[in-house]
Coordinates of all heavy atoms in Angstrom, one line a residue:
R276 N 11.8 217.2 107.3 CA 12.3 217.9 108.5 C 13.4 217.0 109.2 O 14.3 217.6 109.9 CB 11.2 218.1 109.5 CG 10.4 219.3 109.1 CD 9.5 219.7 110.3 NE 8.7 220.9 109.9 CZ 7.5 221.2 110.3 NH1 6.9 220.3 111.1 NH2 6.9 222.2 109.9
S277 N 13.4 215.7 108.9 CA 14.4 214.8 109.6 C 15.6 214.6 108.7 O 16.5 213.9 109.2 CB 13.8 213.5 109.9 OG 12.5 213.6 110.4
L278 N 15.7 215.2 107.5 CA 16.9 215.0 106.7 C 18.1 215.6 107.4 O 18.0 216.7 107.9 CB 16.7 215.6 105.3 CG 15.7 214.9 104.4 CD1 15.5 215.6 103.1 CD2 16.2 213.4 104.1
K279 N 19.1 214.8 107.4 CA 20.3 215.3 108.1 C 20.8 216.6 107.6 O 21.0 216.7 106.4 CB 21.4 214.2 108.0 CG 22.1 213.9 109.3 CD 23.1 212.8 109.1 CE 23.8 212.6 110.4 NZ 24.7 211.5 110.4
P280 N 21.0 217.6 108.5 CA 21.5 218.9 108.0 C 22.9 218.7 107.3 O 23.7 217.8 107.8 CB 21.6 219.7 109.2 CG 20.9 219.0 110.3 CD 20.9 217.6 109.9
W281 N 23.2 219.5 106.4 CA 24.5 219.4 105.7 C 25.6 220.1 106.6 O 25.3 221.0 107.3 CB 24.5 220.2 104.4 CG 23.5 219.6 103.4 CD1 22.3 220.0 103.0 CD2 23.7 218.3 102.7 NE1 21.7 219.2 102.1 CE2 22.6 218.1 101.9 CE3 24.8 217.4 102.6 CZ2 22.4 217.0 101.1 CZ3 24.6 216.3 101.8 CH2 23.5 216.1 101.0
T282 N 26.8 219.6 106.4 CA 28.0 220.2 107.0 C 29.0 220.5 105.9 O 28.8 219.9 104.8 CB 28.7 219.2 108.0 OG1 29.1 218.1 107.3 CG2 27.7 218.8 109.1
A283 N 30.0 221.2 106.2 CA 31.0 221.5 105.2 C 31.6 220.2 104.6 O 31.8 220.0 103.4 CB 32.1 222.4 105.8
E284 N 31.8 219.2 105.5 CA 32.4 218.0 105.1 C 31.4 217.2 104.2 O 31.8 216.7 103.2 CB 32.7 217.1 106.3 CG 33.6 216.0 105.9 CD 33.7 215.0 107.0 OE1 33.5 215.3 108.2 OE2 34.1 213.8 106.7
T285 N 30.1 217.1 104.7 CA 29.2 216.2 103.8 C 28.9 216.9 102.5 O 28.7 216.3 101.5 CB 27.9 215.9 104.6 OG1 27.3 217.2 105.0 CG2 28.1 215.0 105.7
L286 N 28.9 218.3 102.5 CA 28.7 218.9 101.2 C 29.8 218.6 100.2 O 29.6 218.5 99.0 CB 28.6 220.5 101.4 CG 27.3 221.0 102.0 CD1 27.4 222.4 102.4 CD2 26.2 220.8 101.0
S287 N 31.0 218.5 100.7 CA 32.1 218.2 99.7 C 32.2 216.7 99.5 O 32.7 216.4 98.4 CB 33.4 218.9 100.2 OG 33.9 218.2 101.3
Q288 N 31.9 215.9 100.4 CA 32.1 214.4 100.2 C 30.8 213.7 99.7 O 30.9 212.7 99.0 CB 32.4 213.8 101.6 CG 33.7 214.3 102.2 CD 34.9 213.8 101.5 OE1 35.0 212.6 101.2 NE2 35.8 214.7 101.2
H289 N 29.6 214.2 100.0 CA 28.4 213.5 99.7 C 27.5 214.1 98.6 O 26.4 213.7 98.5 CB 27.6 213.3 101.0 CG 28.3 212.5 102.0 ND1 27.9 212.5 103.4 CD2 29.3 211.7 102.0 CE1 28.6 211.6 104.0 NE2 29.5 211.2 103.2
V290 N 28.0 215.1 97.9 CA 27.2 215.6 96.8 C 28.1 215.7 95.6 O 29.2 216.4 95.6 CB 26.7 217.0 97.1 CG1 25.7 217.4 96.0 CG2 26.0 217.1 98.5
I291 N 27.7 215.1 94.5 CA 28.5 215.1 93.3 C 27.7 215.8 92.2 O 26.5 215.4 92.0 CB 28.8 213.7 92.8 CG1 29.5 212.8 93.9 CG2 29.7 213.7 91.5 CD1 30.8 213.3 94.4
R292 N 28.2 216.7 91.5 CA 27.5 217.3 90.3 C 28.3 217.0 89.1 O 29.5 217.0 89.1 CB 27.2 218.8 90.5 CG 28.5 219.6 90.7 CD 28.1 221.1 90.7 NE 29.2 221.8 91.3 CZ 29.4 223.1 91.1 NH1 28.5 223.8 90.4 NH2 30.4 223.8 91.7
G293 N 27.6 216.8 88.0 CA 28.2 216.5 86.7 C 27.5 217.3 85.6 O 26.4 217.8 85.7
Q294 N 28.2 217.3 84.4 CA 27.6 217.9 83.2 C 28.0 217.0 82.0 O 29.2 216.7 81.9 CB 28.2 219.3 83.1 CG 27.6 220.1 82.0 CD 28.3 221.4 81.8 OE1 29.5 221.4 81.3 NE2 27.7 222.5 82.2
Y295 N 27.0 216.7 81.2 CA 27.4 215.8 80.1 C 28.2 216.4 79.0 O 28.0 217.6 78.6 CB 26.1 215.1 79.5 CG 25.1 215.9 78.9 CD1 25.1 216.2 77.5 CD2 23.9 216.2 79.5 CE1 24.1 216.9 76.9 CE2 22.9 216.9 78.9 CZ 23.0 217.3 77.6 OH 22.0 218.0 77.0
S296 N 29.1 215.7 78.5 CA 29.9 216.1 77.3 C 29.4 215.2 76.1 O 28.6 214.3 76.3 CB 31.4 215.9 77.5 OG 31.6 214.6 77.9
A297 N 29.9 215.6 74.9 CA 29.4 214.8 73.7 C 29.6 213.3 73.9 O 30.5 212.9 74.5 CB 30.2 215.3 72.5
G298 N 28.7 212.6 73.4 CA 28.8 211.1 73.5 C 27.7 210.5 72.6 O 27.4 211.0 71.5
K299 N 27.0 209.5 73.2 CA 26.0 208.7 72.4 C 24.7 208.6 73.1 O 24.7 208.5 74.4 CB 26.5 207.3 72.1 CG 27.7 207.3 71.1 CD 27.7 206.0 70.4 CE 28.5 206.2 69.1 NZ 28.6 205.0 68.3
S300 N 23.6 208.6 72.4 CA 22.4 208.2 72.9 C 21.9 207.0 72.0 O 21.7 207.2 70.9 CB 21.4 209.4 72.8 OG 20.1 208.9 73.2
G301 N 21.9 205.8 72.6 CA 21.7 204.6 71.7 C 22.9 204.6 70.8 O 24.1 204.6 71.2
S302 N 22.6 204.5 69.4 CA 23.7 204.5 68.5 C 24.0 205.8 67.9 O 24.9 205.9 67.0 CB 23.4 203.4 67.4 OG 22.1 203.7 66.9
S303 N 23.2 206.9 68.3 CA 23.4 208.2 67.6 C 24.4 209.0 68.4 O 24.3 209.0 69.7 CB 22.1 209.0 67.5 OG 21.1 208.1 67.2

Side-chain angles (χ1 to χ4, degrees):
R276 286 193 175 144
S277 317
L278 288 174
K279 223 174 178 180
W281 296 106
T282 63
E284 193 195 340
T285 55
L286 282 169
S287 67
Q288 300 288 313
H289 294 167
V290 189
I291 307 296
R292 59 174 161 160
Q294 186 188 71
Y295 63 84
S296 55
K299 289 207 159 176
S300 174
S302 53
S303 322

